[in-house]
Amino acid sequence: MTTQIARIAEARAGAAGQFAGPEHEGRAALLGMWTFLATEILFFGALFSGYSLYRAFYPQAFAEAARHMSKPWGTLNTGLLLLSSACMALAVAAARRGALRAAALRLAATGVLGAGFLGVKAHEWAVHAREGLFPFFGRPFVFAGPQADQARLFFNLYYIMTGLHALHLLIGVFLVWIMAALCASGRYRRRDVTPVILSGLYWHFVDAVWVFLFPLFYLVR
Amino acid sequence: MDGETREVLAVSLGLFLLLALTVAAAALPLRGFNLALSLFFSAAKTALIAGWFMELRKGGSRLWVVAGAGFFWLLILVGIGATDYLTRFRPY
């Protein structure tokens, strides 16, 4: 009986009281993170629905407006995020192996790539503002085309959706840099690396959202 | 190079190949099919990211249910929302 209790206690070691053990706690953490991501799918989903409807109603205006988007910058940004996801996957693999220094470096690199994306995005918005396509803070909307109001819809959706995505990415960048610092400080040396894995899930999700945003705003014909 | 690194490299190659295909396909004059093709490539990239980077394929059926639930509710959102707009008025 005592041996049984001792074995159970050993199995539960390190896990919070309501869990059967660290593996159970890890699985629960994953389930919780995916539940959060499901809510995020709905969060962005509502905006994607709005985009779909207005594009279905005004296809010519959307195609005309999309001609003002820079395909090279958009493609570069997509490449940066895909590379950052690869970096993140390598970081998680390193953390799992216990190679915390390698994990810290890879997490830092992931953040740098994300920051690069944000820099390009800021530059794109600045270019749009110079062209008169940034109708906020009292600036006029200058669009030479027959369906200017509908084109403005395209740009409103563009700024809201890429802006929301950029906010998520900014949070992600700080998250991975904090994770990098924690890995480097040795905090995870004797603990499980679930927080790094969960940060990875968040990062990959933000990448996946951009994978859909890119063709819808940059590759419209 | 260990197995995990090789796997990440392989998936990354797949993702960049799909990106190249996405951009190339968008240049083709396929009218309505362009959108379907773009979305197909996006779905393929997301499947790679979710399946391998997010390790969904190793997650087990319980995780698939939760991950799938998000998309299921999204379908409800888009589907029922669309029936409203498409039956409400005629756009000019």
Side-chain angles (χ1 to χ4, degrees), chain A residues 130-150:
Chain A
R130 274 201 297 275
E131 291 174 354
L133 297 169
F134 190 81
F136 305 113
F137 310 115
R139 306 175 98 103
F141 184 68
V142 179
F143 188 80
Q147 292 183 297
D149 286 339
Q150 288 75 17

PDB file of all heavy atoms in Angstrom, chain A residues 130-150:
ATOM      1  N   ARG A 130       1.346  57.785 -48.263  1.00  0.00           N
ATOM      2  CA  ARG A 130       1.884  58.787 -49.220  1.00  0.00           C
ATOM      3  C   ARG A 130       1.047  58.822 -50.488  1.00  0.00           C
ATOM      4  O   ARG A 130       0.911  59.857 -51.121  1.00  0.00           O
ATOM      5  CB  ARG A 130       3.340  58.450 -49.564  1.00  0.00           C
ATOM      6  CG  ARG A 130       4.346  59.007 -48.579  1.00  0.00           C
ATOM      7  CD  ARG A 130       5.730  59.101 -49.206  1.00  0.00           C
ATOM      8  NE  ARG A 130       6.260  57.802 -49.589  1.00  0.00           N
ATOM      9  CZ  ARG A 130       6.914  56.980 -48.745  1.00  0.00           C
ATOM     10  NH1 ARG A 130       7.110  57.353 -47.494  1.00  0.00           N
ATOM     11  NH2 ARG A 130       7.369  55.824 -49.163  1.00  0.00           N
ATOM     12  N   GLU A 131       0.479  57.658 -50.870  1.00  0.00           N
ATOM     13  CA  GLU A 131      -0.319  57.579 -52.091  1.00  0.00           C
ATOM     14  C   GLU A 131      -1.760  58.025 -51.872  1.00  0.00           C
ATOM     15  O   GLU A 131      -2.578  57.964 -52.790  1.00  0.00           O
ATOM     16  CB  GLU A 131      -0.310  56.140 -52.627  1.00  0.00           C
ATOM     17  CG  GLU A 131       1.038  55.693 -53.168  1.00  0.00           C
ATOM     18  CD  GLU A 131       1.041  54.223 -53.538  1.00  0.00           C
ATOM     19  OE1 GLU A 131       0.044  53.517 -53.277  1.00  0.00           O
ATOM     20  OE2 GLU A 131       2.051  53.776 -54.107  1.00  0.00           O
ATOM     21  N   GLY A 132      -2.109  58.392 -50.640  1.00  0.00           N
ATOM     22  CA  GLY A 132      -3.474  58.817 -50.354  1.00  0.00           C
ATOM     23  C   GLY A 132      -4.434  57.660 -50.165  1.00  0.00           C
ATOM     24  O   GLY A 132      -5.646  57.799 -50.360  1.00  0.00           O
ATOM     25  N   LEU A 133      -3.912  56.508 -49.741  1.00  0.00           N
ATOM     26  CA  LEU A 133      -4.764  55.340 -49.556  1.00  0.00           C
ATOM     27  C   LEU A 133      -4.868  54.951 -48.085  1.00  0.00           C
ATOM     28  O   LEU A 133      -5.113  53.807 -47.753  1.00  0.00           O
ATOM     29  CB  LEU A 133      -4.195  54.153 -50.366  1.00  0.00           C
ATOM     30  CG  LEU A 133      -4.157  54.367 -51.875  1.00  0.00           C
ATOM     31  CD1 LEU A 133      -3.334  53.272 -52.542  1.00  0.00           C
ATOM     32  CD2 LEU A 133      -5.563  54.390 -52.455  1.00  0.00           C
ATOM     33  N   PHE A 134      -4.680  55.936 -47.193  1.00  0.00           N
ATOM     34  CA  PHE A 134      -4.730  55.677 -45.757  1.00  0.00           C
ATOM     35  C   PHE A 134      -5.724  56.660 -45.148  1.00  0.00           C
ATOM     36  O   PHE A 134      -5.340  57.685 -44.589  1.00  0.00           O
ATOM     37  CB  PHE A 134      -3.324  55.859 -45.165  1.00  0.00           C
ATOM     38  CG  PHE A 134      -3.206  55.398 -43.737  1.00  0.00           C
ATOM     39  CD1 PHE A 134      -3.045  54.053 -43.446  1.00  0.00           C
ATOM     40  CD2 PHE A 134      -3.236  56.303 -42.689  1.00  0.00           C
ATOM     41  CE1 PHE A 134      -2.920  53.634 -42.131  1.00  0.00           C
ATOM     42  CE2 PHE A 134      -3.117  55.885 -41.371  1.00  0.00           C
ATOM     43  CZ  PHE A 134      -2.953  54.540 -41.089  1.00  0.00           C
ATOM     44  N   PRO A 135      -7.049  56.382 -45.293  1.00  0.00           N
ATOM     45  CA  PRO A 135      -8.078  57.362 -44.928  1.00  0.00           C
ATOM     46  C   PRO A 135      -8.369  57.426 -43.439  1.00  0.00           C
ATOM     47  O   PRO A 135      -9.515  57.268 -42.996  1.00  0.00           O
ATOM     48  CB  PRO A 135      -9.301  56.878 -45.711  1.00  0.00           C
ATOM     49  CG  PRO A 135      -9.122  55.398 -45.755  1.00  0.00           C
ATOM     50  CD  PRO A 135      -7.652  55.140 -45.835  1.00  0.00           C
ATOM     51  N   PHE A 136      -7.371  57.645 -42.620  1.00  0.00           N
ATOM     52  CA  PHE A 136      -7.572  57.777 -41.184  1.00  0.00           C
ATOM     53  C   PHE A 136      -6.917  59.058 -40.703  1.00  0.00           C
ATOM     54  O   PHE A 136      -6.130  59.662 -41.409  1.00  0.00           O
ATOM     55  CB  PHE A 136      -6.970  56.570 -40.440  1.00  0.00           C
ATOM     56  CG  PHE A 136      -7.495  55.248 -40.922  1.00  0.00           C
ATOM     57  CD1 PHE A 136      -6.664  54.361 -41.582  1.00  0.00           C
ATOM     58  CD2 PHE A 136      -8.819  54.906 -40.727  1.00  0.00           C
ATOM     59  CE1 PHE A 136      -7.146  53.145 -42.040  1.00  0.00           C
ATOM     60  CE2 PHE A 136      -9.309  53.693 -41.177  1.00  0.00           C
ATOM     61  CZ  PHE A 136      -8.474  52.809 -41.847  1.00  0.00           C
ATOM     62  N   PHE A 137      -7.239  59.454 -39.479  1.00  0.00           N
ATOM     63  CA  PHE A 137      -6.666  60.646 -38.848  1.00  0.00           C
ATOM     64  C   PHE A 137      -6.782  61.876 -39.754  1.00  0.00           C
ATOM     65  O   PHE A 137      -5.845  62.654 -39.911  1.00  0.00           O
ATOM     66  CB  PHE A 137      -5.184  60.427 -38.471  1.00  0.00           C
ATOM     67  CG  PHE A 137      -4.955  59.161 -37.715  1.00  0.00           C
ATOM     68  CD1 PHE A 137      -4.196  58.141 -38.257  1.00  0.00           C
ATOM     69  CD2 PHE A 137      -5.509  58.960 -36.456  1.00  0.00           C
ATOM     70  CE1 PHE A 137      -3.989  56.956 -37.568  1.00  0.00           C
ATOM     71  CE2 PHE A 137      -5.312  57.775 -35.762  1.00  0.00           C
ATOM     72  CZ  PHE A 137      -4.549  56.770 -36.329  1.00  0.00           C
ATOM     73  N   GLY A 138      -7.947  62.020 -40.379  1.00  0.00           N
ATOM     74  CA  GLY A 138      -8.199  63.217 -41.191  1.00  0.00           C
ATOM     75  C   GLY A 138      -7.606  63.182 -42.586  1.00  0.00           C
ATOM     76  O   GLY A 138      -7.750  64.154 -43.337  1.00  0.00           O
ATOM     77  N   ARG A 139      -6.920  62.101 -42.965  1.00  0.00           N
ATOM     78  CA  ARG A 139      -6.331  62.045 -44.306  1.00  0.00           C
ATOM     79  C   ARG A 139      -7.412  61.676 -45.320  1.00  0.00           C
ATOM     80  O   ARG A 139      -8.263  60.845 -45.041  1.00  0.00           O
ATOM     81  CB  ARG A 139      -5.219  60.999 -44.360  1.00  0.00           C
ATOM     82  CG  ARG A 139      -4.141  61.171 -43.319  1.00  0.00           C
ATOM     83  CD  ARG A 139      -3.173  60.025 -43.379  1.00  0.00           C
ATOM     84  NE  ARG A 139      -1.985  60.380 -44.133  1.00  0.00           N
ATOM     85  CZ  ARG A 139      -0.817  60.684 -43.561  1.00  0.00           C
ATOM     86  NH1 ARG A 139      -0.700  60.689 -42.259  1.00  0.00           N
ATOM     87  NH2 ARG A 139       0.228  60.979 -44.283  1.00  0.00           N
ATOM     88  N   PRO A 140      -7.344  62.267 -46.516  1.00  0.00           N
ATOM     89  CA  PRO A 140      -8.355  61.936 -47.530  1.00  0.00           C
ATOM     90  C   PRO A 140      -8.032  60.621 -48.218  1.00  0.00           C
ATOM     91  O   PRO A 140      -6.905  60.151 -48.184  1.00  0.00           O
ATOM     92  CB  PRO A 140      -8.211  63.097 -48.522  1.00  0.00           C
ATOM     93  CG  PRO A 140      -6.780  63.491 -48.419  1.00  0.00           C
ATOM     94  CD  PRO A 140      -6.360  63.244 -46.997  1.00  0.00           C
ATOM     95  N   PHE A 141      -9.056  60.051 -48.847  1.00  0.00           N
ATOM     96  CA  PHE A 141      -8.853  58.836 -49.630  1.00  0.00           C
ATOM     97  C   PHE A 141      -8.808  59.234 -51.101  1.00  0.00           C
ATOM     98  O   PHE A 141      -9.780  59.771 -51.629  1.00  0.00           O
ATOM     99  CB  PHE A 141      -9.987  57.840 -49.370  1.00  0.00           C
ATOM    100  CG  PHE A 141      -9.813  56.526 -50.065  1.00  0.00           C
ATOM    101  CD1 PHE A 141      -8.792  55.671 -49.685  1.00  0.00           C
ATOM    102  CD2 PHE A 141     -10.659  56.146 -51.098  1.00  0.00           C
ATOM    103  CE1 PHE A 141      -8.626  54.451 -50.322  1.00  0.00           C
ATOM    104  CE2 PHE A 141     -10.499  54.929 -51.727  1.00  0.00           C
ATOM    105  CZ  PHE A 141      -9.479  54.082 -51.347  1.00  0.00           C
ATOM    106  N   VAL A 142      -7.676  59.011 -51.737  1.00  0.00           N
ATOM    107  CA  VAL A 142      -7.496  59.410 -53.129  1.00  0.00           C
ATOM    108  C   VAL A 142      -7.425  58.150 -53.976  1.00  0.00           C
ATOM    109  O   VAL A 142      -6.432  57.417 -53.939  1.00  0.00           O
ATOM    110  CB  VAL A 142      -6.182  60.225 -53.291  1.00  0.00           C
ATOM    111  CG1 VAL A 142      -5.977  60.612 -54.734  1.00  0.00           C
ATOM    112  CG2 VAL A 142      -6.197  61.446 -52.384  1.00  0.00           C
ATOM    113  N   PHE A 143      -8.484  57.902 -54.737  1.00  0.00           N
ATOM    114  CA  PHE A 143      -8.500  56.692 -55.566  1.00  0.00           C
ATOM    115  C   PHE A 143      -9.019  57.049 -56.946  1.00  0.00           C
ATOM    116  O   PHE A 143     -10.166  57.483 -57.096  1.00  0.00           O
ATOM    117  CB  PHE A 143      -9.373  55.622 -54.916  1.00  0.00           C
ATOM    118  CG  PHE A 143      -9.287  54.281 -55.597  1.00  0.00           C
ATOM    119  CD1 PHE A 143      -8.220  53.437 -55.341  1.00  0.00           C
ATOM    120  CD2 PHE A 143     -10.258  53.879 -56.503  1.00  0.00           C
ATOM    121  CE1 PHE A 143      -8.130  52.206 -55.962  1.00  0.00           C
ATOM    122  CE2 PHE A 143     -10.178  52.646 -57.123  1.00  0.00           C
ATOM    123  CZ  PHE A 143      -9.109  51.802 -56.861  1.00  0.00           C
ATOM    124  N   ALA A 144      -8.178  56.850 -57.967  1.00  0.00           N
ATOM    125  CA  ALA A 144      -8.581  57.163 -59.341  1.00  0.00           C
ATOM    126  C   ALA A 144      -9.206  55.927 -59.960  1.00  0.00           C
ATOM    127  O   ALA A 144      -8.532  55.052 -60.459  1.00  0.00           O
ATOM    128  CB  ALA A 144      -7.361  57.592 -60.149  1.00  0.00           C
ATOM    129  N   GLY A 145     -10.516  55.825 -59.864  1.00  0.00           N
ATOM    130  CA  GLY A 145     -11.194  54.661 -60.419  1.00  0.00           C
ATOM    131  C   GLY A 145     -12.690  54.824 -60.278  1.00  0.00           C
ATOM    132  O   GLY A 145     -13.156  55.679 -59.525  1.00  0.00           O
ATOM    133  N   PRO A 146     -13.471  54.026 -60.999  1.00  0.00           N
ATOM    134  CA  PRO A 146     -14.929  54.218 -60.993  1.00  0.00           C
ATOM    135  C   PRO A 146     -15.606  53.885 -59.658  1.00  0.00           C
ATOM    136  O   PRO A 146     -16.543  54.554 -59.258  1.00  0.00           O
ATOM    137  CB  PRO A 146     -15.417  53.276 -62.097  1.00  0.00           C
ATOM    138  CG  PRO A 146     -14.345  52.266 -62.242  1.00  0.00           C
ATOM    139  CD  PRO A 146     -13.062  52.934 -61.887  1.00  0.00           C
ATOM    140  N   GLN A 147     -15.118  52.866 -58.964  1.00  0.00           N
ATOM    141  CA  GLN A 147     -15.779  52.460 -57.729  1.00  0.00           C
ATOM    142  C   GLN A 147     -14.904  52.792 -56.514  1.00  0.00           C
ATOM    143  O   GLN A 147     -14.452  51.900 -55.804  1.00  0.00           O
ATOM    144  CB  GLN A 147     -16.079  50.960 -57.774  1.00  0.00           C
ATOM    145  CG  GLN A 147     -17.133  50.582 -58.800  1.00  0.00           C
ATOM    146  CD  GLN A 147     -17.457  49.092 -58.764  1.00  0.00           C
ATOM    147  OE1 GLN A 147     -16.603  48.250 -59.022  1.00  0.00           O
ATOM    148  NE2 GLN A 147     -18.690  48.764 -58.437  1.00  0.00           N
ATOM    149  N   ALA A 148     -14.696  54.071 -56.290  1.00  0.00           N
ATOM    150  CA  ALA A 148     -13.793  54.519 -55.226  1.00  0.00           C
ATOM    151  C   ALA A 148     -14.285  54.108 -53.841  1.00  0.00           C
ATOM    152  O   ALA A 148     -13.491  53.703 -52.985  1.00  0.00           O
ATOM    153  CB  ALA A 148     -13.600  56.026 -55.300  1.00  0.00           C
ATOM    154  N   ASP A 149     -15.603  54.195 -53.610  1.00  0.00           N
ATOM    155  CA  ASP A 149     -16.145  53.843 -52.288  1.00  0.00           C
ATOM    156  C   ASP A 149     -15.934  52.367 -51.985  1.00  0.00           C
ATOM    157  O   ASP A 149     -15.586  51.977 -50.874  1.00  0.00           O
ATOM    158  CB  ASP A 149     -17.648  54.161 -52.225  1.00  0.00           C
ATOM    159  CG  ASP A 149     -17.907  55.655 -52.123  1.00  0.00           C
ATOM    160  OD1 ASP A 149     -16.964  56.372 -51.699  1.00  0.00           O
ATOM    161  OD2 ASP A 149     -19.013  56.097 -52.464  1.00  0.00           O
ATOM    162  N   GLN A 150     -16.147  51.541 -53.020  1.00  0.00           N
ATOM    163  CA  GLN A 150     -15.982  50.101 -52.823  1.00  0.00           C
ATOM    164  C   GLN A 150     -14.502  49.747 -52.657  1.00  0.00           C
ATOM    165  O   GLN A 150     -14.149  48.852 -51.894  1.00  0.00           O
ATOM    166  CB  GLN A 150     -16.575  49.327 -54.017  1.00  0.00           C
ATOM    167  CG  GLN A 150     -18.093  49.348 -54.064  1.00  0.00           C
ATOM    168  CD  GLN A 150     -18.660  50.683 -54.536  1.00  0.00           C
ATOM    169  OE1 GLN A 150     -17.944  51.487 -55.120  1.00  0.00           O
ATOM    170  NE2 GLN A 150     -19.920  50.912 -54.275  1.00  0.00           N
TER     171      GLN A 150
END
